[in-house]
Amino acid sequence: MIVQATDIHKSFAGTPVLKGVTVGVELGEVVVLIGASGSGKSTLLRIIANLETADRGTLEVCGTNIVDGRTSTPFNGRVGMVFQQFNLFPHLTALRNVTLALTRVKKLRKAEAEEVAMAALSKVGLGERGKAYPRELSGGQQQRVAIARALAMEPEVILFDEATSALDPELVGEVTGVMRDLADQGMTMVIVTHEMGFARRASDRVLFMNDGKILEEGPPDQIFQRPQEERTRQFLHQVLDA
Amino acid sequence: MNWSSLLASHGLLLSGLVKTIYLSVLAIIASTVLGAFVGFLRAARVPGLSLILRLYVEFFRGSPLLVQLLFIYFGAAYIGLSGITTFIGALVGLTLYEGAIASEIFRAGVEAVPRAQREAAKVLGLGRWTTSVHVVLPQALKVILPGLIGQEISLVKDTSLAAVIGFPELVNQSQAVISNINQPMLVLLAAGVLYFIICYPMSIGARILEKRRAS
Amino acid sequence: MNPTSDTWAEVFAYMPQFLSGLRITVEVSVIAFICSLFLGIVGAAARRSKHLAARLAATVYVEAFRNTPLLLQVFIAYFGLPAIGLPISAFQAGTGALAVNAGAYLTEIIRGGIEAVPQGQYDATHVLALSRLDAFTHVVLPQAVRNVYPPIINQFIQILLGSSLLSAIALPELTGVSETVNSITLRTMQVFAVALVLYLVVSNAISLLASLVGRYAFRPPLETRADSGSFRRWTQAVTARIPSRGKLAEAGEGGGDS
């Protein structure tokens, strides 16, 4: 088990957001979280990434028990994350965005780091654009740089927090394409997304979250074609028939 | 620290405070009107005016208020203009200077309203005047108001410069009191407290407005 | 009354004095600016500190010096301090008051610049396992510096213009010299016109220079081009793209007493 979250509870300012969530993710699995806004999907992801601390429950990620919250960084990049807003470092080139953690955290020498970075950028189709600054790149390209940046750290699992929600529609495909490639290559991924088509095609397991709990989970075909719960049906109806 | 003599001089200090407030209020009104006028005109890009208005703004913002006051007050006497009291000199100088700064706030406020708003109004058939007054202005004011209050706080503090040309506002009167009772620290601190009492609430007000705008 | 070329010539004859006054103006301003930067950095750190005492002290400092006139602060330094046993020269008092005053504004400017770095940047450094020091040095600080550069340059110009107040404590900076030349030649308009022009030239030159330096030093260029004449516009453009615009706007605009 790469990720094992048990009975996670989390409240923000008195409002409960996660009300007892249990999730397990196996090596090589692609798990997709779907659900309405406010259902707690992003919060769960951020707790797994150790960006937030659960109020209650246990969490084991890559063999490490997460005890304390944000101040410790037990993962060293083994848990990668790709954000909705990309969060690239705007004052650094694409290449430097990728090499920064390689040199400062993994202590690679500059030449080595650049080699690894170039490989990662090539993998996402941006081998030529290393010298570009984020503002010179399209949204899709920026997000792909962000994926390369996470990849270069050789993570055991990559978390995607609505990675395509901030993109113009025509750019979504280039990012989901990269994500599919990663999935095909066996990367363990936990994905929060609104892209239902992608979720269906690329995932091993789909979890529908509602009101802070996992309401239903199962293989994509089952969830999308034969949802058991009424709320799941309602949600899919709204999202797919829009 | 001789508190009793300070209290005894409270008359002079208070009269200075009153003059400060009086000058401030008039200068605020005049400079706001001037600033709005110039700012809106610049935002509207009226041809032929933009250069001269820009020169006005850059001139007053790029040079010290004190020198402008000296120029206006002593210069007026120099060219034979009689009847220019320290009050008028200070008022004119403050109005021109603060007006230039205020105009930038007004201009920025108008320019902060997205062009799309005017386009939407145009498509709906609203005329230029209606658009400006009912669509652009209310949105511009939300941006303008906090900045303007900050500006007024600066203006109240800037009235202290009128002391240098002899207008008996608070700082000037403080100097008079000091020459009477020779307690510089006490008197100046007392004056400081009086300024603080006026300016600090305004700061808080501006901050509240800014927060409300952001939410 | 017609100002003839003779009257101007009379005034221009004092150009060496004007320039020496200008030199003192610049000297005072530079020293005060450097000191104020230290104060601003310390103040910003204090305002963001975990310790209530530090936060309180910094807040009192900022509010006290931003809600009282610079002229009063100059007088307190020059007339007040000696009276309570601290002898001080006009130069020291003037420079000190300018520095402490500007430091209060810079505290807010620097604090705003740091707080304007979006939370997402911190999140990214967290998942990349960058240490707190590395995150600050390589990610937060470079962005904060880009945020505060225009307002800080503006503050320097405010210091420069504010130094004119030091004429009131008999420091022979540019304004003081102008008053002296005026009392000698009595050509009031010409004398103060010269002073105004000198201030204008210097303040615009600094703006232009800083803008060029900024364009060169901060690559990639910020989303907006620095306008050579108008630092305020760059400031606003930079602050406009930052989510919590209020902080920088409040700190940067009205950034000083005249």
Side-chain angles (χ1 to χ4, degrees):
Chain A
M1 276 280 172
I2 296 289
V3 177
Q4 180 61 56
T6 312
D7 195 37
I8 301 289
H9 290 255
K10 178 70 181 173
S11 293
F12 286 114
T15 312
V17 173
L18 291 176
K19 304 177 184 172
V21 171
T22 298
V23 180
V25 181
E26 303 268 11
L27 180 64
E29 246 197 314
V30 176
V31 173
V32 168
L33 298 174
I34 61 173
S37 310
S39 54
K41 326 187 287 292
S42 284
T43 309
L44 180 62
L45 218 61
R46 288 175 67 91
I47 288 179
I48 297 174
N50 201 18
L51 288 170
E52 311 276 358
T53 321
D55 297 330
R56 240 166 63 209
T58 63
L59 179 61
E60 209 179 287
V61 180
C62 299
T64 309
N65 232 307
I66 299 186
V67 180
D68 199 87
R70 307 213 40 184
T71 51
S72 59
T73 53
F75 297 134
N76 278 346
R78 279 148 60 211
V79 176
M81 187 153 177
V82 176
F83 301 89
Q84 183 178 353
Q85 301 296 333
F86 324 145
N87 290 341
L88 289 181
F89 306 133
H91 57 292
L92 301 175
T93 61
L95 188 67
R96 186 65 181 133
N97 257 275
V98 181
T99 60
L100 181 62
L102 292 176
T103 52
R104 305 299 308 180
V105 177
K106 298 209 136 173
K107 312 280 192 214
L108 297 181
R109 283 171 303 113
K110 179 170 169 198
E112 236 187 298
E114 288 189 355
E115 244 183 80
V116 173
M118 283 303 290
L121 284 171
S122 303
K123 215 165 168 191
V124 301
L126 288 170
E128 310 288 297
R129 304 299 312 264
K131 293 238 178 339
Y133 285 96
R135 62 177 291 264
E136 298 166 341
L137 301 171
S138 76
Q141 291 171 324
Q142 288 185 52
Q143 193 62 300
R144 286 189 278 148
V145 173
I147 295 176
R149 183 174 66 174
L151 269 182
M153 297 294 282
E154 292 176 353
E156 291 174 43
V157 56
I158 302 188
L159 312 174
F160 291 83
D161 189 0
E162 304 208 26
T164 56
S165 295
L167 294 176
D168 294 333
E170 67 269 17
L171 300 173
V172 169
E174 69 191 65
V175 174
T176 54
V178 169
M179 289 165 74
R180 278 210 70 178
D181 288 342
L182 286 178
D184 290 341
Q185 288 158 29
M187 173 66 70
T188 314
M189 297 158 77
V190 183
I191 303 173
V192 170
T193 186
H194 294 304
E195 296 289 322
M196 297 304 160
F198 167 76
R200 257 187 104 145
R201 285 191 302 275
S203 64
D204 297 319
R205 192 156 43 106
V206 175
L207 275 62
F208 173 70
M209 284 190 70
N210 181 249
D211 194 33
K213 291 182 135 126
I214 296 181
L215 203 58
E216 210 177 324
E217 69 178 278
D221 285 333
Q222 178 198 313
I223 297 290
F224 285 104
Q225 285 175 313
R226 296 180 301 274
Q228 311 277 348
E229 299 283 335
E230 179 57 32
R231 291 294 267 285
T232 320
R233 272 196 287 268
Q234 275 177 0
F235 174 75
L236 290 174
H237 185 74
Q238 279 177 324
V239 170
L240 292 175
D241 294 344
Chain B
M1 295 266 170
N2 195 338
W3 293 94
S4 57
S5 51
L6 175 65
L7 285 173
S9 323
H10 74 277
L12 276 177
L13 285 180
L14 282 181
S15 100
L17 180 62
V18 167
K19 289 263 180 358
T20 291
I21 295 177
Y22 186 57
L23 177 61
S24 300
V25 169
L26 288 180
I28 287 177
I29 296 173
S31 66
T32 304
V33 168
L34 178 60
F37 195 63
V38 172
F40 289 151
L41 275 179
R42 283 191 73 187
R45 317 260 166 122
V46 178
L49 282 183
S50 45
L51 183 62
I52 190 164
L53 290 178
R54 172 154 181 197
L55 284 177
Y56 157 65
V57 172
E58 297 294 336
F59 174 81
F60 279 93
R61 281 181 49 202
S63 53
L65 172 59
L66 180 57
V67 181
Q68 294 164 16
L69 284 179
L70 295 171
F71 182 84
I72 290 173
Y73 180 65
F74 293 115
Y78 179 67
I79 62 172
L81 230 61
S82 67
I84 304 291
T85 63
T86 55
F87 177 74
I88 293 179
L91 184 59
V92 170
L94 277 173
T95 303
L96 289 172
Y97 175 81
E98 308 285 351
I101 303 197
S103 78
E104 287 291 271
I105 296 175
F106 282 99
R107 185 170 69 89
V110 171
E111 291 182 353
V113 179
R115 186 153 52 101
Q117 290 290 306
R118 291 188 195 80
E119 290 171 355
K122 185 171 173 186
V123 166
L124 286 169
L126 297 174
R128 275 201 69 167
W129 181 253
T130 317
T131 309
S132 298
V133 172
H134 292 269
V135 174
V136 176
L137 193 57
Q139 298 184 59
L141 279 176
K142 275 196 291 195
V143 176
I144 290 171
L145 228 40
L148 205 57
I149 296 188
Q151 170 56 18
E152 313 313 359
I153 298 173
S154 294
L155 194 153
V156 170
K157 295 184 290 178
D158 290 341
T159 59
S160 60
L161 268 60
V164 178
I165 59 171
F167 179 65
E169 47 66 69
L170 185 50
V171 173
N172 180 290
Q173 293 295 74
S174 305
Q175 290 178 300
V177 170
I178 291 172
S179 64
N180 283 348
I181 69 171
N182 199 27
Q183 296 273 328
M185 203 49 150
L186 203 54
V187 175
L188 291 171
L189 284 178
V193 168
L194 289 172
Y195 275 106
F196 190 81
I197 292 175
I198 300 176
C199 295
Y200 186 60
M202 288 169 78
S203 293
I204 304 286
R207 233 164 285 176
I208 294 179
L209 263 176
E210 185 68 54
K211 271 201 198 117
R212 229 188 275 170
R213 179 176 80 80
S215 60
Chain C
M1 185 241 71
N2 288 316
T4 65
S5 56
D6 275 345
T7 57
W8 281 104
E10 226 184 297
V11 171
F12 283 140
Y14 285 89
M15 198 48 85
Q17 283 79 356
F18 280 116
L19 291 179
S20 89
L22 184 57
R23 196 176 335 121
I24 296 194
T25 291
V26 172
E27 223 180 284
V28 166
S29 305
V30 169
I31 296 175
F33 179 61
I34 294 174
C35 295
S36 69
L37 277 178
F38 280 117
L39 284 171
I41 292 172
V42 169
R47 284 211 59 162
R48 288 167 53 83
S49 141
K50 302 187 290 236
H51 305 290
L52 181 62
R55 285 202 312 268
L56 213 56
T59 305
V60 167
Y61 166 53
V62 168
E63 296 300 343
F65 280 88
R66 297 202 321 169
N67 289 296
T68 52
L70 176 59
L71 186 60
L72 197 65
Q73 294 161 17
V74 169
F75 283 169
I76 288 178
Y78 186 63
F79 296 117
L81 290 181
I84 61 172
L86 244 85
I88 193 170
S89 74
F91 187 90
Q92 292 163 339
T95 310
L98 279 173
V100 175
N101 178 275
Y105 288 94
L106 282 179
T107 296
E108 289 302 279
I109 288 171
I110 293 174
R111 180 174 77 98
I114 295 177
E115 290 182 357
V117 177
Q119 177 63 32
Q121 294 291 301
Y122 291 93
D123 287 348
T125 63
H126 189 86
V127 293
L128 287 171
L130 287 167
S131 71
R132 297 248 314 240
L133 181 62
D134 281 338
F136 186 73
T137 326
H138 292 267
V139 175
V140 177
L141 192 60
Q143 294 185 61
V145 168
R146 279 169 179 75
N147 290 340
V148 301
Y149 182 69
I152 284 184
I153 297 297
N154 185 56
Q155 191 59 46
F156 176 67
I157 295 178
Q158 293 301 312
I159 291 177
L160 190 90
L161 299 179
S163 68
S164 60
L165 269 63
L166 270 42
S167 60
I169 57 174
L171 194 69
E173 43 67 64
L174 182 52
T175 306
V177 166
S178 309
E179 287 173 322
T180 309
V181 173
N182 178 46
S183 62
I184 297 176
T185 66
L186 298 175
R187 304 292 177 197
T188 310
M189 285 224 146
Q190 288 85 342
V191 168
F192 287 121
V194 168
L196 285 171
V197 168
L198 283 173
Y199 276 111
L200 277 168
V201 165
V202 174
S203 68
N204 280 298
I206 292 171
S207 234
L208 183 59
L209 197 65
S211 157
L212 289 174
V213 167
R215 228 186 286 214
Y216 183 72
F218 298 128
R219 279 179 300 187
L222 302 172
E223 265 127 62
T224 53
R225 285 173 54 249
D227 230 305
S228 61
S230 194
F231 237 92
R232 192 57 67 100
R233 232 171 290 149
W234 183 4
T235 310
Q236 281 176 346
V238 170
T239 57
R241 76 184 170 97
I242 294 161
S244 53
R245 177 184 176 272
K247 297 188 180 75
L248 275 186
E250 172 186 283
E253 273 162 35
D257 304 289
S258 356

